[in-house]
């Protein structure tokens, strides 16, 4: 756009703040006004649960900037408590409400950036407007919640087990409250596939969270305490409720202005973050993005993309080449002492889209097992069976999950294949990793599968393999903690002596704890002429998969 | 190679062990014999310093496999204390010495893999053969060192400040010994550029290590204690010495067999790990590799590549397509509470090779600054100024260094550019990262430099800028801990009011703590018509650079 002398930005957090700062660095002369409906700009949205839980002691640490600091640093005109009510596209003006005074006024623009974010979903259920039902999206939300945390509040119920729900329920447990977590679906953290969330459900329960999966809130009934009525008939008595069902794009302003809204409900933008009106841009949680893997329009409300989109909008407005490449949905969540993270597409999505895929489970230590403190990471890698191209990855564990998902996120961004994973040269010393990192091992195992060396049985297919001889190749002492029903123990260390005990006319399925020894056993038996498969990810994966059946 | 029925492997650690296991998984029928000169196979070489220091309590944890366990699992014929003395290439036999019995015998092969590793360098200096001068490469080395750790040993001197030297000196401090670290060069950890090692030198001194840089050992003189004579005339009195000067490829067997040796002293191999004799393969620390960035033949003794090369040799021998892509030199080192890591080429190498490059320093927190426990990572990114293609990266800090170097190692592997770094979608929640990760920020800053928005002055060029107005844009309270001589304080928060105090006829150099506010100030002043540059990485980089001048 040529000669933008006046830029208005609706929303002063994440994408809006990034756009404003970038705009000023590109153009000293332009008038830049930022309207923020709430009382705060540039606050640490993602930090709210951690102040609630007490990890972040000072509320002030959440306020990254004030209008004054932004004005001093960037020469911005920052107006908080200022709601943009409407856009007059033909006259290029917006109508602004000063929420403190009630005054309304018009402001003209050469370019307009919409960064209104997303709003917590509040389903129209009876009682949900009760004053003890909260959301946690803004600093005032946090303040309201903190204010009611009186000693008579003993029990809190969080509705929704997504990122915010999980972080919030952990925060409330940190505060010493009893907590229930209600989730309509049959798993927590839906960006991951169900089996990968089994350790998270376990972790929640281990930390005293009452986890109610498959329960749908029907109504909130106020009495001395609150009674939550579930569709199943179940009731939960609680003192307050935090709704964390999800968010929806704040698209009203754009919609009423006649801007194109995508099928997802997010504001449609092109790669330059331009809406259907070339003078109006939109960024952040309010817009729909292209998924980098399948090209579909999706809602992926994430802070990193929001910031980058703000930068791109400012670049475009002030004449620089820039485009947004799409989002791949990299996300991470702390769940007490566990971390879960994912990037790209999950198996559910691949199945629903009928995209060909293969999956590989790999359980490996975050660093060399002989160095103290090693913990296990469970990794799921999804890839195209023909080309080997990575489609997505998920990981859960205590430590090092963020590193592996970031490594895989870059691999996904680069269009890498399982061969590339196998060949990755990652940093290794015993405190940090292993000579073969779990990511390398996942790549190698996937290569073996692709080359026909590794024959896999999926845990969900095991029940159908009733004619097979199921062989547990772990050492006897490992089996004390459980094994698969009907399995026979032939330890790998004795398999070379004992393989004659197996029936060559019946298929064999071998497994160990994580899959490595199972693979070795499978190679051995396969070369002896057995029809043999290895259980993907071994007993560990099977346990995770089983847990989702009994949750 | 067709029809290999008998495979001999020289060396049973890392590459040799990987090759043997892979060979068996590919071919159940072949006879596979592993010769290991020492008493142990498949031991955790990289773990030795950590047992010395007590982190790894049990010596047995270092022994990943025994000959018996390898035989049971893989049907290998593993012969320890068995030294291969010579190769008869025309008859395809090797002569083996049983070091326990003194017997010698011939063994024939269809294919031979050399994985003898590398040997610690022992320069021919007077007194270096003293019984209190040690190396730390094998389990027997470790045992010898542990055995002399009697209470009268008060002081140990480590010679050489590379990976092993640093890990060893830390281990000895953990044992409560006084320790000196002698290094001929002017910096520790030469894979990094000097300024990036300043925090490591500081960390060593802070943990009681006497760091003697630029000191070259001349002789070891035995008396009641040992006296180390340096070329400078300096003397160090100590109780024992650990030599960690470096390693050289064990190439004698290959050389005497007439196999081609590279200019680096490493055994020459092609991409299939084949030596100049097509029946003989070599892998691991004994071979020279192609550097993936500049294509040069180099020695990069690393465990990950060794393991992968072993796998590739076995694949080739048994008729599978595989090739080694080269090494990029990813490495990492724990130095007390700090971590240092690097990947790709460093600035020294780029300069020596006359390759065009630009460097970008970025100091950023390992996770969101408002979440407790954030620590600073100092990152140096080297890239091609024209294409923006990544050439190398280095990082140092307390936490999250491994993650950033791994992310950058994958980026390097993928041939990514600074634009790709800026667009990386890494996992973000406050405990793990930031909406803009240090890697993203480094990419964005590099983009800004490439686009001409960011004008840089390097710390080493500051001394030459005597005509410039040097402006410290930090807030006054930040300056208490020091500033650059001659700098004038104009806080960024007041720059918009006070920029008229600057002389437009003289160049301006701005800096803040890490470079972000310096960049903002530079953009502001630049648009006002000043000739202004921003100090690369701010005061923090300048401090690191200064420290190398006074070390």
């Amino acid at each position: 756009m040529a000669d933008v002398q006046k830029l208005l930005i609706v929303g002063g957090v994440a994408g809006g703040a990034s756009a404003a700062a970038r705009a000023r660095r590109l153009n000293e002369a332009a008038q830049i006004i930022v309207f923020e409906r709430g009382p705060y700009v540039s606050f640490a949205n993602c930090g709210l649960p951690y102040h609630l839980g007490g990890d972040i002691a000072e509320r002030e640490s959440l306020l990254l900037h004030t209008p004054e600091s932004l004005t001093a640093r960037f020469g911005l005109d920052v107006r908080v408590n200022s709601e943009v009510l409407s856009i007059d596209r033909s006259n290029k003006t917006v109508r602004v409400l000063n929420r403190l005074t009630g005054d309304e006024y018009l402001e003209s623009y050469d370019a307009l950036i919409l960064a209104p974010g997303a709003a917590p979903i509040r389903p129209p259920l009876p009682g949900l407007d009760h004053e003890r039902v909260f959301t946690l999206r803004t600093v005032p939300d946090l303040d309201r919640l903190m204010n009611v945390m009186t000693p008579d509040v003993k029990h809190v119920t969080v509705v929704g087990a997504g990122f915010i729900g999980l972080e919030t329920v952990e925060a409330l447990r940190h505060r010493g409250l009893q907590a229930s977590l209600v989730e309509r679906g049959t798993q927590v953290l839906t960006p991951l596939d169900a089996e990968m969330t089994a350790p998270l459900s376990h972790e929640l329960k281990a930390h005293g969270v009452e986890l109610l999966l498959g329960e749908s809130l029907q109504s909130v009934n106020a009495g001395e305490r609150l009674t939550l009525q579930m569709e199943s008939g179940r009731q939960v008595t609680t003192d307050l409720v935090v709704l964390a069902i999800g968010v929806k794009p704040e698209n009203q302003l754009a919609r009423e202005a006649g801007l194109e809204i995508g099928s997802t409900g997010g504001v449609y933008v092109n790669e330059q973050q331009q809406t259907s009106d070339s003078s109006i841009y939109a960024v952040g949680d309010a817009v729909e993005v292209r998924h980098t893997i399948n090209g579909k329009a999706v809602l992926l409300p994430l802070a990193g993309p929001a910031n980058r989109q703000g930068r791109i909008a400012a670049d475009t407005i002030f004449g620089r080449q820039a485009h947004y490449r799409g989002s791949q949905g990299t996300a991470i969540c702390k769940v007490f002492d566990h971390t879960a993270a994912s990037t790209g597409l999950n198996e559910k999505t691949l199945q629903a889209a009928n995209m060909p895929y293969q999956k590989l489970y790999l359980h490996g230590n975050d660093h060399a097992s002989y160095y103290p403190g090693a913990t296990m990471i469970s990794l799921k890698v999804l890839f195209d069976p023909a080309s080997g191209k990575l489609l997505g990855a998920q990981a859960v564990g205590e430590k090092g999950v963020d590193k592996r998902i970031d490594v895989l996120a870059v691999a996904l961004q680069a269009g890498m294949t399982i061969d590339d994973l196998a060949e990755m040269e990652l940093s290794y010393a015993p405190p940090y990793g292993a000579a073969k990192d779990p990511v390398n091992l996942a790549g190698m195992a996937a290569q073996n599968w692709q080359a026909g060396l590794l024959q896999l049985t999926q845990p969900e297919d095991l029940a159908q393999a009733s004619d097979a001889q199921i062989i547990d190749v772990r050492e006897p002492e490992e089996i004390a903690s459980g094994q698969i029903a009907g399995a026979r123990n032939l330890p790998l260390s004795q398999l070379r002596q004992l393989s004659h005990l197996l029936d060559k006319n019946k298929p064999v399925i071998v497994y160990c704890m994580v899959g490595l020894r199972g693979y070795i056993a499978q190679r051995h038996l396969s070369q002896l002429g057995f029809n043999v498969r290895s259980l993907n990810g071994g007993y560990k994966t099977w346990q995770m998969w089983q847990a989702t059946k009994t949750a």
Side-chain angles (χ1 to χ4, degrees), chain A:
Chain A
M1 291 178 74
D3 208 21
V4 170
Q5 292 174 26
K6 188 169 175 187
L7 168 64
L8 305 187
I9 300 176
V10 180
V13 187
S18 285
R22 176 73 172 176
R24 175 58 77 225
R25 287 195 293 266
L26 297 178
N27 191 311
E28 190 56 48
Q31 184 183 3
I32 304 174
I33 308 175
V34 178
F35 302 101
E36 169 57 44
R37 184 166 53 180
Y40 301 102
V41 283
S42 201
F43 67 91
N45 192 311
C46 304
L48 301 179
Y50 298 99
H51 180 57
L52 179 65
D55 284 329
I56 299 174
E58 299 298 328
R59 176 180 179 279
E60 277 59 42
S61 347
L62 299 172
L63 307 174
L64 309 178
H65 273 290
T66 61
E68 294 70 29
S69 73
L70 285 177
T71 301
R73 181 173 286 196
F74 294 110
L76 303 174
D77 179 350
V78 180
R79 304 182 189 173
V80 292
N81 300 304
S82 297
E83 183 172 358
V84 173
L85 299 173
S86 61
I87 306 168
D88 179 342
R89 287 165 54 193
S90 48
N91 290 309
K92 288 195 168 188
T93 58
V94 299
R95 172 167 297 276
V96 186
L97 166 68
N98 181 326
R99 287 162 63 103
L100 296 184
T101 64
D103 292 345
E104 292 185 16
Y105 60 97
L106 294 181
E107 199 70 64
S108 67
Y109 64 82
D110 296 323
L112 172 65
I113 299 177
L114 303 179
I121 295 170
R122 275 184 169 269
L125 297 175
L128 224 57
D129 53 353
H130 190 278
E131 59 176 13
R132 293 214 151 197
V133 178
F134 298 85
T135 55
L136 185 55
R137 174 82 188 172
T138 63
V139 176
D141 284 348
L142 175 67
D143 291 341
R144 278 190 289 272
L145 198 46
M146 294 293 277
N147 282 339
V148 295
M149 287 290 170
T150 50
D152 59 313
V153 173
K154 308 286 187 205
H155 185 280
V156 182
T157 301
V158 175
V159 181
F163 294 97
I164 308 299
L166 290 172
E167 289 171 352
T168 302
V169 82
E170 178 178 346
L172 295 166
R173 288 295 298 145
H174 282 185
R175 291 186 70 94
L177 297 174
Q178 295 175 282
S180 298
L181 179 59
V182 176
E183 166 60 46
R184 172 185 231 138
T186 53
Q187 66 166 94
V188 304
L189 211 57
T190 51
L192 272 67
D193 291 314
E195 78 283 10
M196 296 300 290
T197 67
L200 306 179
S201 296
H202 184 269
E203 182 76 359
L204 288 162
K205 292 173 195 165
H207 284 84
V209 174
E210 185 190 36
L211 180 59
L212 303 173
L213 293 178
E215 293 286 359
S216 205
L217 181 65
Q218 201 170 41
S219 65
V220 175
N221 306 300
E224 206 165 320
R225 302 178 74 190
L226 299 176
T227 304
L228 309 185
Q229 182 66 50
M230 306 295 157
E231 279 179 16
S232 68
R234 187 163 185 161
Q235 293 191 331
V236 176
T237 304
T238 196
D239 297 312
L240 54 90
V241 175
V242 180
L243 284 184
I245 295 171
V247 296
K248 55 171 195 273
E250 290 266 21
N251 64 15
Q252 189 182 346
L253 188 62
R255 209 178 55 234
E256 290 177 359
L259 299 178
E260 189 178 335
I261 306 294
S263 58
T264 63
V267 178
Y268 167 81
V269 290
N270 66 14
E271 291 189 337
Q272 279 70 44
Q273 300 300 136
Q274 236 161 358
T275 67
S276 53
D277 179 326
S278 64
S279 298
I280 306 179
Y281 296 74
V283 303
D285 294 357
V287 307
E288 72 176 21
V289 294
R290 292 281 130 195
H291 198 291
T292 56
I293 308 302
N294 63 5
K296 288 227 169 105
V298 285
L299 295 175
L300 282 169
L302 293 164
N307 282 305
R308 290 199 297 282
Q309 290 162 11
R311 194 168 181 261
I312 288 162
D315 277 355
T316 308
I317 289 167
F318 291 108
R320 307 194 73 84
Q321 292 293 325
H323 74 281
Y324 189 66
R325 300 178 178 185
S327 296
Q328 62 189 66
T330 309
I332 192 164
C333 191
K334 179 178 180 301
V335 182
F336 294 98
D337 299 330
H338 270 60
T339 299
S342 65
T343 190
L345 298 178
N346 57 28
E347 187 176 2
K348 291 176 285 197
T349 308
L350 290 164
Q351 274 180 340
N354 243 331
M355 287 173 71
Y357 70 91
Q358 177 57 268
K359 61 178 168 181
L360 197 291
Y361 297 100
L362 195 291
H363 309 277
N365 284 318
D366 71 299
H367 64 245
S369 53
Y370 56 80
Y371 187 87
T375 57
M376 189 170 275
I377 297 171
S378 294
L379 193 60
K380 179 179 186 176
V381 172
L382 297 150
F383 59 96
D384 182 274
S387 67
K389 216 171 147 181
L390 194 61
L391 297 170
Q394 300 162 45
V396 59
E398 290 177 48
K399 289 183 299 183
V401 166
D402 56 333
K403 178 163 81 172
R404 273 58 181 212
I405 286 300
D406 281 358
V407 157
L408 288 160
V410 178
L412 201 61
Q413 178 189 359
M416 280 182 163
T417 67
I418 53 172
D419 294 327
D420 298 316
L421 303 193
E423 292 298 323
M424 276 181 180
E425 193 180 312
L426 304 173
S427 59
Y428 163 54
Y432 306 101
K436 290 176 192 155
D437 191 84
V439 175
N440 294 135
L441 290 171
M444 290 176 179
Q447 283 183 318
N448 289 335
W449 174 84
Q450 211 180 28
L453 295 170
L454 170 62
Q455 307 278 350
L456 287 175
T457 282
Q458 305 298 347
E460 60 269 30
D461 298 333
L462 200 60
Q464 277 80 63
S466 53
D467 58 332
Q469 311 168 77
I470 302 179
I471 306 301
D472 188 327
V473 300
R474 295 177 295 169
E475 300 301 309
E477 61 270 23
E478 295 176 81
I479 293 174
S481 63
Q483 64 173 328
I484 295 173
R488 177 173 171 188
N489 184 214
L490 278 186
L492 178 61
S493 60
Q494 297 168 45
L495 189 63
R496 288 178 175 273
Q497 280 72 53
L498 301 180
S499 60
H500 64 272
L501 299 177
L502 296 173
D503 182 352
K504 265 201 184 159
N505 299 313
K506 285 172 67 181
V508 179
I509 294 172
V510 290
Y511 74 89
C512 60
M513 195 62 199
V514 299
L516 174 61
R517 285 172 294 170
Y519 168 57
I520 295 168
Q522 181 236 296
R523 287 306 305 151
H524 176 65
L525 295 172
S526 160
Q527 294 187 68
L528 296 185
F530 284 92
N531 169 10
V532 53
R533 291 175 174 271
S534 177
L535 182 62
N536 196 352
Y539 186 66
K540 180 95 185 144
T541 304
W542 185 82
Q543 272 186 309
M544 289 164 66
W545 184 80
Q546 276 292 108
T548 65
K549 307 288 107 183
T550 57

